[in-house]
Every structure is written in C-alpha cells, then in structure tokens.
Amino acid sequence: MAAEILDIAFAPFILPTSGALVLLIAEDTEPGEAQHAADAATQGAVSRALEAGEFKGRKGQSCIMLAPGAGLSRIVAIGLGKMAELTPHAVEEAGGRAAGAVQRDKHAAVAGALAPCQMAGLAMGAALRCYRFDRYRTKEKAEDKPRLATLHVLCAEPAAAKLAFAPLKAVVEGVFVARDLVSEPGNILTPTAMADRCEKLESLGLKIEILGPKELAKLGFGALLGVSQGSAQEPRVVVMQWMGASSGEKGKGKKKSHPAPIAFIGKGVTFDTGGISIKPAGGMEDMKWDMAGAGAVVGLMAALAGRRAKVDAIGIVGLVENMPSGTAQRPGDVVTTYSGQTVEIINTDAEGRMVLADVLWYCQERFAPKFMIDLATLTGAMIISLGHEYGGMFSNDDELAAQLFAAGTASGEKLWRMPLGEAYDKMLKSEIADMKHVGGRPGGAISAAQFIQRFVNGCKWAHLDIAGMVWTTKDAPCVPKGATAYGVRLLDRFVADHYEN
Ligand code: BES
Ligand code: MN
Ligand code: ZN
C-alpha cells in the first residue's frame, strides 16, 4: 500500500557488536547503562569523543564517532535536553535525528533510559524520518540509497514499548499514505486514480463511496463541476467513513444512540494550472501537490482506522483537475453551487474554495456532524502571512480553535489562528450573483476563508489553509524533504485528545 515502514524491533539492552549504535543522552542525568557499556567496550573512546566534541546532551545536539571499535561502524550521541522538558514531540524528534544519523548503516540500534511510551514515540520519529518516495528512480546506485533496514530499540521494558508503538505505527502508516499521494505527479495521480487509492483503504475497515460526474451533476455540485469542466480528467468526490465509536465492540455499556460524527474535508486539486486565469510557468510543477489537503484527510482516515480509534469520523475529499481548455470555465461565469447560492467566477485560479463550497455543504447536510474541519492548500497569501512555520486556522468556534491550537503545539504541526469578520466578508459582494469568490489581494487568505464560511450553514467549523506546510525543501528531524503529510499527526492528536471515548 503505502511506502514501507522501517523494520523496528524492541529488545532489552545488550551492547551490539556490529552496525551503528545511537545513545540518547540527557543534559541533566548521569550516564546510563548503554553509555557505560559502549565506553567500556571502546576503551573510553565514547567519553573522549563527547568531551572533545563538547557534547552536553543539549536538545538537538549530536556527536558522531566513526569506527569507535567493538565492531561498531559508528556511535552517535543524540542530546535530549533536560528530562523535565522532554515532551512527546521532542522524543519523536530525537528518534528522527537518530534515524537520520544512521541511514548509511544497514543495521542500527538506539538505546535510552526512557519510559516505554517514550521509546515508542522515539521509534515513531525514526520511522517518520525514513520515508522515501523513490518509485520513479530507476537508475539510482545502491550506494546512493539510504541503507538502514532495521532499527533495534533497546530499552528496559521492550514488551511495553512494543505495545505502545502499535497505534503509533498506524499513524506512521497514515502519514505515508498522505506523503505518497502528495509526492505523485499529476499525470499519475488524476482524480480517478486518487479515488482508486482511497478505495484500497477499505481493507482497513473504512467504508468508501465514490461519486462520479453523473452523480455530482445530479446532486447539483455546480461549483466543483465548474472547476473540473476544463479538464479531460473526470472529477470524483470520495466519502470515507470510520465508525469506530458507534459500531465498535458491544458490551461496554452506556452506549449512546448514534452521536454526531466529526468530519474532515479536503481540497484535492490533483493539478492546478490556474485554468483560464493561468499561472506563470515558473514553479507551476509544485501544483501537483494542490491535493495535499485531501491527502491529509485520506491519511488521517487511514490512521484512525489503522489504530481502531474509538470515534465516528467522516472524511470527504473533492478531487478535480484545474485546466484551461475550450470547455474551461471563464472569468465572469456564474455558477450555482450545491447550496443553491450563486457565485460569480472572478479568477479561475481561485478554484479550491469552489470545490470546498460544494463538499462542505454536502457534508453538513448529509451527516449533521459535530463540526467540520477542512484542509486546503488554498492561497499563496497564507504563505506570505505565516511562511512555512504555521498553518493558518480560521474558525467560527473558540473551543474548536483552542483544541486545534493545542494539538498543533503537541504534534509539532503548528497552527496560528487568523481572524474572520464582517468587513472581510463584504469583500465578496458581486453585482451579478449572490457573491463573487475572490475578494482581492489584501487579506487574500482571510476573504477566501470568509467565502468558505458561507457554505458551512452555521455548523461548527475550522478551515486550515496549509499552503505553506505541505511540501518542504529541507530535511527536518521527522520529515525528510518533500511531502510532509502536514495535518495527519495534528488531527490524529486532536481526535485522540478530545473525541475518543
Ligand atoms: N493552489 C493555489 C494556492 C497556492 C499557491 C498554494 C501557491 C501553494 C502555493 C490556489 O488554488 C490559488 O491559485 N490561489 C490563488 C487565489 C487568487 C487567484 C485569489 C492565489 O493564492 O494566488
Ligand atoms: Mn489555483
Ligand atoms: Zn489550487
């Protein structure tokens, strides 16, 4: 299915006699068993290297010793910082750094004196770091590829760590599903191809429905179809359901009768040329990842199903390609959306909000969810506002916004709340239709959010504009360069913290 997850085994500490060894070292604790054993076996080389490298165990600090003796190819010390400040996310990052440092070795072990759930988090970080999309590299030499095949996590309670790792592994799997989708080029990952990949996730226990052009026309998805009409590729809307709370194991007592589900909606523009309002050529190749909001929703649903989350969740993605052609939509066109509201098209490059408009209205009408959260690479203006550090969050509900903000901080996929308001909404006034879909350049991400808000029908809602977050050009501890799958870990954390019973 998704790219393979690194093979990870948990075991009690025994000093390895080959391969690489990573020592996790905190700033404020005495050297542990592993450090002592490695130091003794190398006649004090570890102590000398840490001394010479001024290694203090600070967070993010590392020290690499090549061929230190005792049969090892390398020993890497990774700093954890102060134990009291060691958050779950910091542990994951340490795991990511550890994996990053030993990618040239076929076998590696990492040892640390942490609790079982921390060692599991460490393993998760390592697995996340080792993602690679190399389907289309047919000529890469073996010596140029990362070699790491197995990682042994050496700790005091390996059985407990292994148990704690099982749900985290499902989240990694979900992240990889999303990264694979986002990495695929537009000629391969068309709307139909992406829908087919969603369908494969039925094997996880997800219920999948796929709506094609006929169904969408019958329903009256005029906004989504208007975007799609210039493309030779057919649109799809995929409805994914994970009923982990209401259909789960019986006999747990106090079962409510079908509480409302929670819902996630994704923008899935498999390629965004801009349409008739065509984009400049430079950098247009990036627009293969204009389906990353949908990718994150699909990855999240895979994660929730994979770890059997006790929640009822709906994921809906609107999949289209935005192309210029003789059949393409024109600026000035007026379309009737699924909600019945009419929209004057100003710039065919503002297509994502049109897709979301129909899908959001459909979602609240059909499922009456507790709330809807949409994810979209919606505006360049969002990148101008927050760069590549935070996703932009817009919400009509303070509690929902606070929960999302907290999940962002905890997961490391950070969010920053942006304003909504009457004055921005006024920018959408049209002379011919109920509204236009573009409000002009100032506050462009905000007027886009205002537009979307007109299609949530009063439902609790948050809109995450993740345009700056879905692709990265440099390696981070748990995110190798390329597709990030931003949103999957954030929303998995959010669900786990607030919506599982
Ligand atoms: N997919 C783009 C937004 C985008 C641009 C994401 C660059 C990542 C990098 C979106 O469909 C778009 O083109 N938005 C326009 C809206 C404008 C025409 C009102 C934009 O942001 O320029
Ligand atoms: Mn666009
Ligand atoms: Zn777009």
Side-chain angles (χ1 to χ4, degrees), residues 123-154:
M124 181 190 196
L128 287 169
R129 175 59 178 269
C130 292
Y131 177 81
R132 197 158 190 264
F133 187 79
D134 51 14
R135 270 186 97 162
Y136 302 112
R137 302 192 200 209
T138 68
K139 300 202 163 166
E140 199 174 30
K141 295 194 205 85
E143 68 258 34
D144 294 332
K145 294 191 194 234
R147 280 188 282 261
L148 187 60
T150 56
L151 181 68
H152 286 261
V153 178
L154 308 177

Side-chain angles (χ1 to χ4, degrees), residues 135-197:
R135 270 186 97 162
Y136 302 112
R137 302 192 200 209
T138 68
K139 300 202 163 166
E140 199 174 30
K141 295 194 205 85
E143 68 258 34
D144 294 332
K145 294 191 194 234
R147 280 188 282 261
L148 187 60
T150 56
L151 181 68
H152 286 261
V153 178
L154 308 177
C155 56
E157 295 172 70
K162 186 180 174 190
L163 208 63
F165 181 59
L168 304 186
K169 191 174 175 188
V171 177
V172 175
E173 185 81 43
V175 166
F176 285 14
V177 165
R179 286 183 185 168
D180 280 355
L181 290 170
V182 173
S183 302
E184 287 287 3
N187 62 327
I188 303 294
L189 198 79
T190 58
T192 43
M194 186 160 168
D196 289 347
R197 292 224 192 166

Side-chain angles (χ1 to χ4, degrees), residues 267 269 272 279 287 290 322 349-352 377-378:
K267 165 180 171 179
V269 177
D272 181 12
K279 287 180 182 295
M287 286 299 112
D290 208 20
N322 189 20
D349 199 9
E351 84 298 339
T377 49
L378 204 68

